[in-house]
């Protein structure tokens, strides 16, 4: 049996390729600004060739979150699939160096390791174009029952729901963690994801999910309330233990069956790159949750971690986040 872990994340194992471009680049290449768009290998090669010199680092939403929890000092694991190629080695090295347990065997054949081409514009918005590659090859057999059963919290990334076999893997992990008495958390990831999986995710929130993460656009999309955030809050209240809903500079709102807690944003001296803000908010929240902090403290730690990451380039903390606990 594995030693106890605070959080185990499951998601698309992706290498982020991040460059800064002007707004004309977005228009010239027909990109959907601010969204995550799935692309094929040919489109990935074309965009990569057009991008300015880039930073390459291991990424993926849930991987960023568990890396953040590890940076706070938590004990974490990660489940995702890479190919046994150069980018697969980059991913495994980066996440392992952060103290994350990553033991899924790389694929020996099939598509290459996934990559996300992230365009950051001068307004700090990030436009993501993702080639899923080997990450779509995560199978139920890749789920280690001992690892998942040892988790206080299982953190599931919505992006990975796009492929049936990975969906089966998530459902297996949820079943194992639930049976072991763990907490199930899920992030909505992207409004387009919510639209693609609308009814399934409504059922998940009403079912096994204890902690739900999402931003205001995603929760409004889930409950089809247009731009009416308050209506979405009312719709989700009581459907899970906590819904942690982020609102950028307006902070976050924590919704429980009996109360609504508003948490202010932590001020940022400068916004450099919003990539990973939601991922790191979840890191802070989950670290606080696994340490028994009250919800307001969990939300505050999430806000501080999000501000830390938007003040730098890239989706991972450049240094330890442990200083934020004070």
């Amino acid at each position: 049996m594995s030693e106890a872990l605070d959080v185990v994340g499951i998601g698309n194992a992706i290498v982020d390729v991040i460059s800064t471009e002007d707004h004309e680049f977005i228009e010239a290449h027909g990109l959907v600004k601010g969204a995550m768009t799935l692309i094929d290998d040919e489109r990935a090669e074309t965009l990569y060739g057009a991008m300015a010199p880039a930073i390459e680092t291991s990424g993926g939403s849930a991987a960023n979150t568990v890396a953040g929890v590890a940076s706070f000092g938590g004990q974490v694991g990660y489940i995702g699939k890479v190919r046994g190629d150069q980018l697969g080695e980059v991913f495994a090295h980066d996440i392992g160096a952060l103290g994350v347990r990553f033991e899924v065997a790389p694929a020996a054949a099939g598509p290459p390791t996934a990559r996300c081409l992230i365009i950051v514009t001068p307004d700090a918005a990030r436009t993501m174009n993702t080639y899923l590659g080997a990450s779509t090859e995560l199978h139920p057999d890749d789920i280690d029952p001992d690892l998942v059963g040892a988790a206080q919290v299982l953190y599931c990334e919505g992006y990975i729901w796009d492929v049936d076999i990975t969906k089966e893997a998530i459902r297996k992990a949820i079943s194992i963690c639930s049976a072991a008495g763990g907490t199930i958390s899920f992030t909505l990831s992207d409004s387009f994801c919510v639209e693609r999986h609308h009814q399934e995710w409504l059922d998940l929130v009403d079912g096994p999910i204890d902690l739900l993460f999402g931003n205001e656009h995603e929760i409004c999309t889930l409950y089809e309330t247009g731009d009416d955030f308050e209506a979405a809050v009312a719709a989700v209240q009581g459907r899970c233990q906590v819904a942690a809903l982020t609102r950028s500079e307006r902070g976050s709102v924590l919704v429980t069956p009996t109360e609504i807690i508003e948490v202010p944003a932590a001020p940022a001296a400068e916004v450099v790159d919003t990539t990973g803000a939601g991922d790191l908010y979840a890191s802070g929240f989950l670290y606080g949750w696994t340490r028994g902090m009250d919800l307001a403290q969990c939300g505050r730690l999430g806000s501080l971690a999000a501000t830390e990451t938007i003040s730098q380039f890239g989706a991972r903390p450049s240094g330890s986040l442990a200083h934020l606990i004070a």
Side-chain angles (χ1 to χ4, degrees), residues 49-259:
M51 290 167 67
I55 295 172
E56 297 184 356
T57 179
S58 68
S61 177
N64 292 337
T65 295
V66 296
V69 177
S71 183
F72 274 107
Q75 301 299 308
V76 297
Y78 179 73
I79 298 169
K81 195 76 170 183
V82 297
R83 175 77 187 273
D85 54 17
Q86 184 177 353
L87 285 183
E89 291 174 4
V90 167
F91 183 92
H93 174 269
D94 281 3
I95 202 164
L98 295 170
V100 179
R101 281 186 58 184
F102 176 59
E103 300 165 356
V104 178
T113 296
R115 70 284 316 265
C116 182
L117 307 178
I118 302 175
I119 310 302
V120 180
T121 39
D123 57 359
R126 85 279 189 259
T127 300
M128 300 182 292
N129 301 274
T130 305
Y131 169 58
L132 291 174
S135 69
T136 64
E137 302 293 308
L138 182 71
H139 288 201
D141 289 348
D142 291 313
I143 304 300
D144 180 349
D146 286 343
L147 185 77
V148 174
Q152 188 179 156
V153 178
L154 177 70
Y155 182 78
C156 305
E157 170 190 318
Y159 286 129
I160 202 173
W161 205 264
D162 281 312
V163 179
D164 284 343
I165 195 70
T166 56
K167 191 188 303 185
E168 288 181 31
I170 290 183
R171 290 193 183 279
K172 179 179 176 180
I174 287 173
S175 177
I176 292 168
C177 187
S178 292
T183 296
I184 307 302
S185 62
F186 189 90
T187 174
L188 295 173
S189 294
D190 183 276
S191 295
F192 292 104
C193 283
V194 178
E195 290 174 356
R196 288 195 293 274
H197 311 296
H198 185 245
Q199 188 56 53
E200 282 184 295
W201 287 7
L202 285 173
D203 294 341
L204 276 179
V205 176
D206 287 346
I209 293 174
D210 302 302
L211 302 179
L212 179 68
F213 292 91
N215 64 33
E216 59 184 319
H217 305 296
E218 293 155 5
I219 199 68
C220 286
T221 301
L222 184 65
Y223 290 102
E224 299 179 309
T225 63
D227 294 328
D228 191 339
F229 177 69
E230 285 69 27
V233 167
V236 75
Q237 189 167 26
R239 294 184 179 274
C240 57
Q241 194 171 345
V242 183
L245 309 174
T246 56
R247 308 191 74 190
S248 299
E249 69 277 0
R250 286 178 287 180
S252 60
V253 176
L254 310 178
V255 185
T256 79
T258 58
E259 61 183 336

